[in-house]
Amino acid sequence: MSRPEEAPTPLPVIEEFEAAGALVGILIGSESDRERMDPAIEELNDRGISYELNVLSAHRDPRGVAEYASTAALRGVRVIIAGAGMAAALPGTAAAYTDLPVIGVPLTSSKSALGGLDAILAIVQMPPGVPVACVSLDGARNAAILASKILAQGGGYPGTPGRPLTQL
Ligand code: RP5
């Protein structure tokens, strides 16, 4: 007599993990950068994308940057936007501590050398293996748009598919 077929053990239902935190983590290297990063905040607000903003300097508080970046994904952040001027190490330092995509915004400041080329090179010239996307000088709005496009790849957050390019 053949054994009755055993019913397969149902797999446990795993509720999809959704952290309550912000989707975009904005970092700025100094309070003096805040105004130039405002267009990113406006753009994210327009798109209904949650964000958090922290002032953390790669040079003045490297441990703070490391702690922030290494815990961001666990808190629900999906993209980091990091704006800094001068020797703008902030985006690269954040990228060193997270697998999240990092968008760097080179910023002008009253202390910029070469009109901001200092920050552009500091962000663009990342070594192989630690990529950072770089938008234009003072290109905070573009950073937010790019962040929304990245988020849209993961499941339809407001920003790109479904929203005509002309509205970007
Ligand atoms: C950078 O140095 C900051 O991102 C800022 O753009 C620049 C000047 O900073 P403060 O001296 O105004 O704080 O690290």
Side-chain angles (χ1 to χ4, degrees):
M1 208 166 102
S2 62
R3 286 178 52 204
E5 269 184 34
E6 280 181 31
T9 311
L11 292 172
V13 175
I14 300 172
E15 297 292 338
E16 195 174 321
F17 173 75
E18 195 170 330
L23 289 169
V24 176
I26 301 177
L27 296 178
I28 52 177
S30 166
E31 272 297 338
S32 66
D33 295 326
R34 192 179 285 266
E35 194 180 329
R36 285 180 181 78
M37 290 299 284
D38 276 348
I41 289 169
E42 282 166 28
E43 191 65 35
L44 293 173
N45 279 333
D46 283 353
R47 290 165 185 265
I49 297 173
S50 57
Y51 65 88
E52 60 187 21
L53 185 143
N54 286 277
V55 183
L56 288 170
S57 165
H59 296 112
R60 294 167 178 154
D61 184 11
R63 286 181 209 276
V65 177
E67 186 179 337
Y68 177 86
S70 57
T71 57
L74 287 173
R75 287 179 290 101
V77 172
R78 290 293 169 261
V79 185
I80 291 176
I81 295 174
M86 302 180 77
L90 183 57
T93 305
Y97 285 99
T98 182
D99 285 329
L100 293 174
V102 176
I103 304 169
V105 187
L107 298 176
T108 53
S109 86
S110 59
K111 301 159 197 156
S112 291
L114 304 171
L117 186 59
D118 49 0
I120 292 175
L121 292 178
I123 293 174
V124 166
Q125 289 293 84
M126 288 297 293
V130 192
V132 165
C134 182
V135 294
S136 57
L137 190 62
D138 293 331
R141 180 174 176 233
N142 263 5
I145 295 171
L146 181 55
S148 80
K149 288 171 181 259
I150 293 169
L151 289 170
Q153 301 309 306
Y157 289 103
T160 33
R163 183 169 177 175
L165 281 173
T166 49
Q167 289 181 19
L168 290 178

